[in-house]
Amino acid sequence: MDDGHLPDRLAAPFDHVSLRRHNLAVVLGKLRDGGPRSRARIATDTGLNKATVSSLVAELSELGLVRDGDVERAGGVGRPGQTVEVDGRVCGLGAEVNVDYIAVLVLDLRGDEVFYRRIPVDVPSLGAQRTLDELARAIRSTVADARTAGRYVAGVTVALPGMVETAPGVLRHAPNVGWRDIGVADGLSARLAEPASLDGPDSPDSPDSPDGAGSLEPIRIPIRVDNDANLSALAEYVMGSSAGVPDLVHLTGETGVGGGVIADGTLLRGNHGFGGEIGHMPIGDPNQPCGCGRFGCWETSVGLSALLREVANPADTITDPSVDLEVRLHEIRRRAQVGDGRTLRGLEAIGTSLGLGAAILVDLLNPRVIALGGYFAVLGEYILPAMEAELDQRAVLPGRGGCRIELSSLGFKAACRGGAHVALEAVLTDPASVAATPGAPASADAVDELTGGVA
Amino acid sequence: MDDGHLPDRLAAPFDHVSLRRHNLAVVLGKLRDGGPRSRARIATDTGLNKATVSSLVAELSELGLVRDGDVERAGGVGRPGQTVEVDGRVCGLGAEVNVDYIAVLVLDLRGDEVFYRRIPVDVPSLGAQRTLDELARAIRSTVADARTAGRYVAGVTVALPGMVETAPGVLRHAPNVGWRDIGVADGLSARLAEPASLDGPDSPDSPDSPDGAGSLEPIRIPIRVDNDANLSALAEYVMGSSAGVPDLVHLTGETGVGGGVIADGTLLRGNHGFGGEIGHMPIGDPNQPCGCGRFGCWETSVGLSALLREVANPADTITDPSVDLEVRLHEIRRRAQVGDGRTLRGLEAIGTSLGLGAAILVDLLNPRVIALGGYFAVLGEYILPAMEAELDQRAVLPGRGGCRIELSSLGFKAACRGGAHVALEAVLTDPASVAATPGAPASADAVDELTGGVA
């Protein structure tokens, strides 16, 4: 049998096919995290024997996941080593539904962003079903474009602005867009599984549109859904400025305030995947009504409405929702930079309220980092001093448990990036699964033969 | 090589000695969780081959961890199977320092409680060093008694009523006993490593007191420390009425309110191990001073002082700290049972305040169960209705995310039990480590020979 890898903890009974799959994942993970290297070095790094490594690399190459890289010349005797590297053809697609836009983002297996598109959509007015129509159209054309460019999308994860049950793929409730009990994963799967006409011009050279009559073939692809704040936290943990910090809280300032918790390197999801719902702690101004129907929730003090109320009068253009949010935030930032008193006092008030809630999170979760995303990051330097002062005063942990506050560098793409990462994770965990992806070089039959020969 | 087990996730490079250790743990875990069984059945259950299983069982038996059990007669052909079962000789010791007592509890590897002792100590008056003297004395005599009874203690975990850094074994701050920056693990290790005189009568027949002159030999044993609420949560997860619920919050009602969070089957410790500090959320009566020096912390509304203030006047004997707490709680319970209005209204107020904080925990952590321990459990039936009503009104998760409230059945022993479990976990994870325990049947040398032969 092949050499095996040791588990962290007690595991399922032994099984040769599973061991093979696991070792495929070990080799792919080593190349992705450690960079290109020769088969001999992979053998040394992993403890697998050389024949096993060669066979695993051959299968990964067949699957389109790795390819030959540069030749390594180490000087001295022995033949020069041919390196192996991760192939960027396999991609993950992250999508996002927010209050006033939908977005799609494609990351390849090497971690490079290869596509991003944000489409303005008035989601509350359009409603769930027509928004899903739009999203399916965006996903379909992105998948088709990727194929045309010689890439294939292995999975889709959709970030949603509300409480998501991840296992059935259902959005339970999203007050800010007015959705309730929407089967997003099934709804998108059904739309993508139908042949569909393109509104815009077709890609005439797409090998997957044999009829060439303005329609696209059905797409069968794994679709997952998750809460946007959870996916943003994951993106921060995997590829943000706080990458690798195992105890991390991510707070996104938007219409509401989104929370995502990484505990000991794992996203805290809880019983139904609802974990991280942090905006409704009763620590805000008890006179402020909240979208949830109550008064005094935390997000009434730190959400976007609170920001706009603090820094501007209703007639001010920065309160105009028809102006792009990023434009308005940069105007607030500009005013702060020139020392506008109202703006500075408003941002200080937001910081103080943010620190009050952060103290609860610090004491309960003892994170090493609280990362601020969304508008908190854009205006961070003016919010942070008051936030830190309040946190120091309120947290009961000595030295606030060593917690730092950091500004996320991922901007408003964080949720999409987290989604694309989750889609790729499935490939990294079980590389052979990619054979089921439309357009992948190895068919499912070919993979069965390969693994069957080992068991 | 031996058959191996598959890991849950990518793991460290392959290593034969580690694989052997892992497989020892697999076999011991199977026997502990699944009960006695024959070697042949262990082979079937684990996928390990029979020769490997026999060798592993022999080593576990040498280590004193398993022994022959009953003979299994399955009817029909074939020889009757000799079963193997977990040997109860190896034990874990959980100790606890609380405001008005110290306690020690011994659990054996079969999960049976074999010893419990609670010693009244006025910890705030005695101070840290003299309390550690007392605790070391209690641990020493318990270890000696265990040896006399043919058992040996593989490790000690001490539950402390404050913020604990687990890695260095230091208590950072425990406001309710007035300790700050106390090196509890090192302090206890040093005390136990010295030969010591017994105050009381020696155990004359102890094989480990060769001089028989009222002194005991040095004890070298792994000592860990942890927060009492964390250990209580762990005990609830491992052996309480909510055993196996992977997303669990445990709240202990005592002088303060202790919180412990199990997320996805793992105790949430955070960056320094301070996680679960939940008593100081600013959601209490802003006029009530807290032991932390601030006003309006949650525990000023739900801690023991709040309870006593709500149900009794200062002259009432149930507010007298010299009367045992359990006696006073049972008196409050008796009054509630006979329908005393003041008592019932007081318990309802406690329930409402408890529900308010629980809603924050439900939304953030989405637990399947909130388990109530300490005084909350004793008076649970009178607290629960108001708590549930408030929780339903305050939690924003639909159907409160499926969360149930349950009363812990572990009583005031929960933290000690959690500590004993942690001490045993080290044995279950690495069975060969037990050879280093004083009094263990296999010496460290013998184990090196055994594992050396495999590598």
Side-chain angles (χ1 to χ4, degrees):
Chain A
M1 61 167 282
D2 295 302
D3 284 347
H5 276 257
L6 281 175
D8 296 331
R9 38 200 331 188
L10 307 191
F14 178 83
D15 170 294
H16 287 247
V17 174
S18 310
L19 185 59
R20 173 82 179 181
R21 296 204 159 196
H22 170 68
N23 284 338
L24 284 173
V26 167
V27 171
L28 184 58
K30 175 57 73 179
L31 290 170
R32 184 170 194 260
D33 299 339
R37 60 200 59 211
S38 68
R39 288 167 178 77
R41 174 127 175 253
I42 296 171
T44 311
D45 291 345
T46 61
L48 296 165
N49 71 50
K50 288 185 190 176
T52 303
V53 168
S54 289
S55 154
L56 293 167
V57 167
E59 183 170 344
L60 290 171
S61 172
E62 190 80 24
L63 290 163
L65 296 169
V66 305
R67 66 185 179 200
D68 283 345
D70 295 335
V71 173
E72 203 175 53
R73 298 196 180 276
V77 295
R79 53 178 183 166
Q82 170 66 56
T83 65
V84 184
E85 63 181 22
V86 171
D87 191 316
R89 276 183 291 169
V90 170
C91 298
L93 193 156
E96 183 181 5
V97 175
N98 212 309
V99 177
D100 50 6
Y101 65 85
I102 60 174
V104 288
L105 182 148
V106 178
L107 274 188
D108 72 21
L109 201 54
R110 302 158 71 102
D112 294 328
E113 181 182 315
V114 297
F115 182 78
Y116 178 67
R117 189 171 161 216
R118 189 162 149 168
I119 305 163
V121 172
D122 183 348
V123 170
S125 305
L126 202 60
Q129 298 310 322
R130 287 182 56 206
T131 300
L132 291 186
D133 289 344
E134 289 297 324
L135 189 60
R137 197 187 321 268
I139 291 170
R140 184 187 288 276
S141 76
T142 304
V143 169
D145 289 351
R147 278 197 224 176
T148 306
R151 299 184 184 250
Y152 44 108
V153 173
V156 173
T157 302
V158 184
L160 298 169
M163 286 155 250
V164 175
E165 280 191 48
T166 50
V170 172
L171 179 103
R172 279 292 163 229
H173 189 204
N176 294 329
V177 296
W179 293 12
R180 204 181 265 279
D181 298 320
I182 307 294
V184 174
D186 287 349
L188 283 174
S189 291
R191 283 168 174 82
L192 293 171
E194 287 172 10
S197 299
L198 271 186
D199 281 353
D202 197 1
S203 313
D205 55 347
S206 165
D208 302 311
S209 303
D211 58 3
S215 77
L216 285 169
E217 70 167 10
I219 295 177
R220 288 187 178 79
I221 199 168
I223 298 192
R224 296 172 187 81
V225 299
D226 209 330
N227 171 265
D228 53 2
N230 281 350
L231 291 174
S232 295
L234 206 54
E236 189 62 35
Y237 175 60
V238 173
M239 58 191 101
S241 41
S242 307
V245 172
D247 297 291
L248 173 75
V249 173
H250 188 268
L251 298 177
T252 310
E254 297 182 312
T255 306
V257 51
V261 177
I262 306 285
D264 200 14
T266 303
L267 183 64
L268 189 153
R269 294 183 179 279
N271 185 24
H272 285 307
F274 294 159
E277 197 60 46
I278 196 59
H280 303 274
M281 299 192 289
I283 57 171
D285 176 348
N287 298 315
Q288 287 292 341
C290 181
C292 74
R294 274 158 289 199
F295 285 78
C297 295
W298 191 34
E299 69 181 43
T300 67
S301 300
V302 295
L304 197 57
S305 308
L307 171 71
L308 298 175
R309 190 177 64 232
E310 293 286 350
V311 302
N313 298 321
D316 195 317
T317 53
I318 63 169
T319 67
D320 180 356
S322 72
V323 179
D324 184 82
L325 178 59
E326 294 199 49
V327 171
R328 293 186 280 151
L329 293 176
H330 281 97
E331 170 60 16
I332 296 173
R333 193 179 160 77
R334 190 197 60 77
R335 294 181 190 176
Q337 277 165 340
V338 300
D340 177 67
R342 167 89 185 258
T343 304
L344 291 173
R345 282 192 306 277
L347 291 171
E348 188 182 333
I350 295 288
T352 301
S353 298
L354 203 49
L356 180 63
I360 292 177
L361 302 174
V362 160
D363 286 346
L364 177 59
L365 303 168
N366 186 205
R368 190 181 305 175
V369 166
I370 293 181
L372 300 180
Y375 93 73
F376 299 146
V378 179
L379 302 171
E381 68 188 279
Y382 303 99
I383 290 174
L384 231 50
M387 178 185 178
E388 303 230 23
E390 183 73 8
L391 178 57
D392 283 335
Q393 199 188 319
R394 292 287 186 162
V396 74
L397 294 193
R400 51 164 122 135
C403 181
R404 300 191 308 271
I405 313 296
E406 299 204 343
L407 304 180
S408 171
S409 58
L410 297 175
F412 286 90
K413 285 181 185 174
C416 264
R417 283 190 154 249
H421 168 77
V422 167
L424 287 171
E425 267 284 297
V427 175
L428 288 166
T429 305
D430 182 8
S433 67
V434 81
T437 304
S443 74
D445 290 348
V447 175
D448 284 348
E449 279 166 34
L450 278 169
T451 52
V454 177
Chain B
M1 62 167 281
D2 295 301
D3 284 346
H5 275 258
L6 282 174
D8 296 332
R9 41 201 327 187
L10 308 191
F14 178 82
D15 170 296
H16 286 247
V17 174
S18 310
L19 185 60
R20 173 81 178 181
R21 297 205 158 195
H22 171 67
N23 284 338
L24 284 173
V26 167
V27 171
L28 184 59
K30 176 56 74 180
L31 290 169
R32 184 170 194 260
D33 299 340
R37 60 200 59 210
S38 67
R39 288 166 178 77
R41 174 126 175 254
I42 296 171
T44 311
D45 291 345
T46 60
L48 296 165
N49 71 51
K50 288 186 192 175
T52 302
V53 168
S54 289
S55 155
L56 293 167
V57 166
E59 182 169 345
L60 290 171
S61 172
E62 191 80 22
L63 290 163
L65 296 169
V66 306
R67 65 185 180 201
D68 283 346
D70 295 336
V71 173
E72 203 176 53
R73 297 194 181 277
V77 294
R79 54 177 183 166
Q82 170 65 56
T83 65
V84 185
E85 64 182 20
V86 171
D87 191 316
R89 277 184 290 169
V90 169
C91 298
L93 193 155
E96 183 182 5
V97 174
N98 212 309
V99 177
D100 51 7
Y101 65 84
I102 60 174
V104 288
L105 182 148
V106 178
L107 275 187
D108 72 21
L109 201 53
R110 303 157 71 101
D112 295 327
E113 180 182 314
V114 297
F115 182 77
Y116 178 67
R117 189 171 160 216
R118 189 162 150 168
I119 305 162
V121 172
D122 183 347
V123 170
S125 305
L126 202 59
Q129 298 310 322
R130 288 181 57 207
T131 300
L132 292 185
D133 289 343
E134 290 298 323
L135 188 60
R137 199 189 318 271
I139 292 170
R140 185 187 287 276
S141 77
T142 304
V143 169
D145 289 350
R147 278 196 224 177
T148 306
R151 299 186 184 249
Y152 45 108
V153 173
V156 173
T157 303
V158 185
L160 298 169
M163 288 155 248
V164 175
E165 279 191 51
T166 50
V170 172
L171 179 102
R172 279 291 163 231
H173 189 203
N176 294 328
V177 295
W179 293 12
R180 205 181 264 279
D181 298 320
I182 306 294
V184 174
D186 286 349
L188 283 174
S189 291
R191 284 167 174 83
L192 293 170
E194 286 171 12
S197 299
L198 270 188
D199 281 353
D202 196 2
S203 312
D205 54 349
S206 165
D208 301 311
S209 303
D211 58 4
S215 78
L216 286 168
E217 70 167 10
I219 295 177
R220 288 185 178 80
I221 199 168
I223 298 192
R224 296 172 186 81
V225 300
D226 209 330
N227 171 266
D228 53 2
N230 281 351
L231 291 173
S232 295
L234 206 53
E236 189 62 35
Y237 174 61
V238 173
M239 59 190 101
S241 40
S242 306
V245 172
D247 296 291
L248 173 74
V249 173
H250 188 268
L251 299 177
T252 311
E254 297 181 311
T255 305
V257 51
V261 177
I262 306 285
D264 200 14
T266 303
L267 183 63
L268 189 153
R269 294 182 180 279
N271 185 25
H272 286 307
F274 293 159
E277 196 61 44
I278 196 58
H280 303 274
M281 299 191 291
I283 57 170
D285 176 348
N287 298 314
Q288 286 292 340
C290 180
C292 73
R294 275 158 289 200
F295 285 78
C297 295
W298 191 33
E299 68 181 44
T300 67
S301 300
V302 295
L304 197 57
S305 307
L307 171 71
L308 298 176
R309 189 177 65 231
E310 293 286 350
V311 302
N313 298 321
D316 195 318
T317 53
I318 63 168
T319 66
D320 179 357
S322 72
V323 179
D324 184 83
L325 178 59
E326 295 199 47
V327 171
R328 291 186 281 151
L329 292 176
H330 281 98
E331 170 58 16
I332 296 173
R333 192 180 160 77
R334 191 197 60 77
R335 293 182 190 177
Q337 278 165 340
V338 300
D340 176 67
R342 166 90 185 258
T343 305
L344 290 172
R345 282 191 306 277
L347 291 171
E348 188 182 332
I350 295 286
T352 301
S353 297
L354 203 49
L356 180 63
I360 292 177
L361 302 174
V362 160
D363 285 345
L364 176 59
L365 303 168
N366 186 205
R368 190 181 304 176
V369 166
I370 293 180
L372 300 180
Y375 94 74
F376 299 146
V378 179
L379 302 170
E381 69 188 277
Y382 303 99
I383 291 174
L384 231 50
M387 178 185 178
E388 304 229 22
E390 183 73 8
L391 178 57
D392 283 336
Q393 200 189 321
R394 293 287 186 162
V396 74
L397 294 192
R400 52 164 122 133
C403 180
R404 301 190 308 270
I405 313 296
E406 299 205 342
L407 304 181
S408 171
S409 58
L410 297 176
F412 287 89
K413 285 182 186 174
C416 264
R417 283 190 153 248
H421 168 76
V422 167
L424 287 170
E425 267 283 298
V427 175
L428 288 166
T429 305
D430 182 8
S433 67
V434 81
T437 305
S443 74
D445 291 347
V447 175
D448 284 347
E449 279 165 36
L450 279 168
T451 52
V454 176

